[in-house]
Amino acid sequence: MTTAARKNPSEVGRLLRSWREQRRVSQLELALRADSSARHISFVETGRSRPSEELILRLAEHLDVPVRDRNALLLAAGYAPRFSETPLDDPSMGALREGLERLLRGYEPYPAFIVDATYNVVAANNGMALLMDSLPEHLLAAQPLNAMRLTLHPEGLAPRIRNLREWRGHLLAQMERQIALSRSDALRELYEEVAAYPVRAQDAGREPQEPVPYFALPMVIEHEGHVLSFVASISTFNTPMDVTVAELAIETLLPADPATVKYLRSAAG
């Protein structure tokens, strides 16, 4: 008996229905998007019909299901996973690593770093190292380094962020959106940890001295007697075919004012 034959069609149906309801998409709307019928979607969700591998992937694409969870849907239906999960240090990822390193160097002297699905730092450039060089050794020694912990920990960057209340709220809201999209238990645990970090009263109520640009919320941070202002940009890979690659994000801190540009260029020599 094959693996597919042993699987209960209702298992993948329950998962698909859960994703559809979370995305607030009706069966009819999903059917129209995925070139199917509402009747067939209903049969799949109730276990009366076993979906093909192609239909599962098509539905997952239109429901914006994370790549890791698309493998779970395929397994639930009795199919083999479609997407590999290759460690970034695997020899086959050499070209990707080289490309990422070139990209990080290209952003210098501006800070840039790469994180995985739970904000563990995979790589960072010299601009990011500049911002972190005054952090306590015990934070930098923790492995893996985690961008959210380094930013929001009371001994991390948090005390130096002038608009901590706004920036902290922005980061926590960002994590909440990602948890809703990915349903990741690990990300939820990280969120609960960093959200519970104590915030000093003077930091919680401190406002930035400069007006917030209309186009983006800046992070205004003190560094060695200078006040630096950054806006964040996040990039991901389009149509990844590997779980590891799908979960990588390239984050850059772009200067929001001429003074920050001048300081970073001077510090880089």
Side-chain angles (χ1 to χ4, degrees), residues 176-191:
E176 288 173 350
R177 290 192 297 271
Q178 290 176 311
I179 290 168
L181 286 172
S182 67
R183 307 197 297 198
S184 166
D185 291 336
L187 190 56
R188 180 172 295 280
E189 289 176 6
L190 176 64
Y191 172 87

Side-chain angles (χ1 to χ4, degrees), residues 130-134 160 221-228 263:
L130 178 71
L131 288 184
M132 297 192 302
D133 63 4
S134 60
R160 292 160 45 194
I221 186 169
E222 298 171 359
H223 181 74
E224 296 185 352
H226 297 266
V227 178
L228 308 179
Y263 174 78

Side-chain angles (χ1 to χ4, degrees), residues 19-32:
W19 282 109
R20 179 181 61 77
E21 290 176 345
Q22 185 174 32
R23 299 297 190 251
R24 299 183 180 181
V25 176
S26 69
Q27 290 180 341
L28 177 59
E29 184 179 358
L30 179 58
L32 291 173

Side-chain angles (χ1 to χ4, degrees), residues 117-138:
T118 52
Y119 290 94
N120 292 321
V121 179
V122 174
N125 68 3
N126 290 329
M128 196 64 210
L130 178 71
L131 288 184
M132 297 192 302
D133 63 4
S134 60
L135 294 183
E137 185 176 345
H138 71 90

Side-chain angles (χ1 to χ4, degrees), residues 103-104 107 110-113 125 230-235 250-254:
L103 184 63
L104 290 177
Y107 277 111
Y110 308 146
F113 55 102
N125 68 3
F230 297 97
V231 290
S233 171
I234 301 176
S235 303
I250 305 160
E251 302 205 19
T252 56
L253 297 177
L254 303 175

Side-chain angles (χ1 to χ4, degrees), residues 175-251:
M175 293 182 72
E176 288 173 350
R177 290 192 297 271
Q178 290 176 311
I179 290 168
L181 286 172
S182 67
R183 307 197 297 198
S184 166
D185 291 336
L187 190 56
R188 180 172 295 280
E189 289 176 6
L190 176 64
Y191 172 87
E192 292 173 352
E193 175 190 333
V194 299
Y197 286 162
V199 180
R200 298 183 307 179
Q202 61 266 40
D203 292 327
R206 187 164 56 175
E207 300 285 353
Q209 294 182 352
E210 300 296 329
V212 175
Y214 75 93
F215 59 87
L217 175 70
M219 177 182 72
V220 183
I221 186 169
E222 298 171 359
H223 181 74
E224 296 185 352
H226 297 266
V227 178
L228 308 179
S229 183
F230 297 97
V231 290
S233 171
I234 301 176
S235 303
T236 57
F237 288 89
N238 190 29
T239 62
M241 296 298 292
D242 186 279
V243 174
T244 301
V245 177
E247 294 180 345
L248 293 178
I250 305 160
E251 302 205 19

Side-chain angles (χ1 to χ4, degrees), residues 7-228:
K7 289 291 182 179
N8 184 347
S10 64
E11 184 178 353
V12 67
R14 284 194 299 270
L15 290 173
L16 284 168
R17 181 175 60 189
S18 175
W19 282 109
R20 179 181 61 77
E21 290 176 345
Q22 185 174 32
R23 299 297 190 251
R24 299 183 180 181
V25 176
S26 69
Q27 290 180 341
L28 177 59
E29 184 179 358
L30 179 58
L32 291 173
R33 292 181 186 178
D35 192 25
S36 184
S37 69
R39 183 171 184 268
H40 188 44
I41 298 296
S42 176
F43 277 22
V44 167
E45 290 186 353
T46 57
R48 296 172 65 185
S49 177
R50 178 171 176 263
S52 67
E53 184 176 4
E54 290 71 22
L55 178 61
I56 291 172
L57 292 173
R58 209 158 63 240
L59 295 176
E61 175 71 21
H62 289 289
L63 290 172
D64 197 22
V65 176
V67 172
R68 179 181 297 277
D69 294 284
R70 297 183 195 191
N71 277 344
L73 288 172
L74 291 169
L75 284 169
Y79 300 111
R82 176 70 65 90
F83 306 97
S84 59
E85 185 173 2
T86 311
L88 200 56
D89 59 0
D90 189 88
S92 65
M93 300 288 247
L96 174 65
R97 290 196 307 274
E98 183 180 347
L100 292 174
E101 290 168 1
R102 284 202 305 269
L103 184 63
L104 290 177
R105 289 196 301 268
Y107 277 111
E108 292 177 352
Y110 308 146
F113 55 102
I114 300 170
V115 295
D116 64 15
T118 52
Y119 290 94
N120 292 321
V121 179
V122 174
N125 68 3
N126 290 329
M128 196 64 210
L130 178 71
L131 288 184
M132 297 192 302
D133 63 4
S134 60
L135 294 183
E137 185 176 345
H138 71 90
L139 287 182
L140 296 176
Q143 294 297 324
L145 288 176
N146 186 276
M148 286 296 179
R149 292 189 180 104
L150 290 174
T151 303
L152 297 178
H153 194 281
E155 295 181 73
L157 296 178
R160 292 160 45 194
I161 299 176
R162 286 196 168 191
N163 59 335
L164 180 60
R165 182 176 64 184
E166 291 79 11
W167 192 249
R168 179 177 181 273
H170 160 70
L171 293 182
L172 293 178
Q174 175 180 304
M175 293 182 72
E176 288 173 350
R177 290 192 297 271
Q178 290 176 311
I179 290 168
L181 286 172
S182 67
R183 307 197 297 198
S184 166
D185 291 336
L187 190 56
R188 180 172 295 280
E189 289 176 6
L190 176 64
Y191 172 87
E192 292 173 352
E193 175 190 333
V194 299
Y197 286 162
V199 180
R200 298 183 307 179
Q202 61 266 40
D203 292 327
R206 187 164 56 175
E207 300 285 353
Q209 294 182 352
E210 300 296 329
V212 175
Y214 75 93
F215 59 87
L217 175 70
M219 177 182 72
V220 183
I221 186 169
E222 298 171 359
H223 181 74
E224 296 185 352
H226 297 266
V227 178
L228 308 179

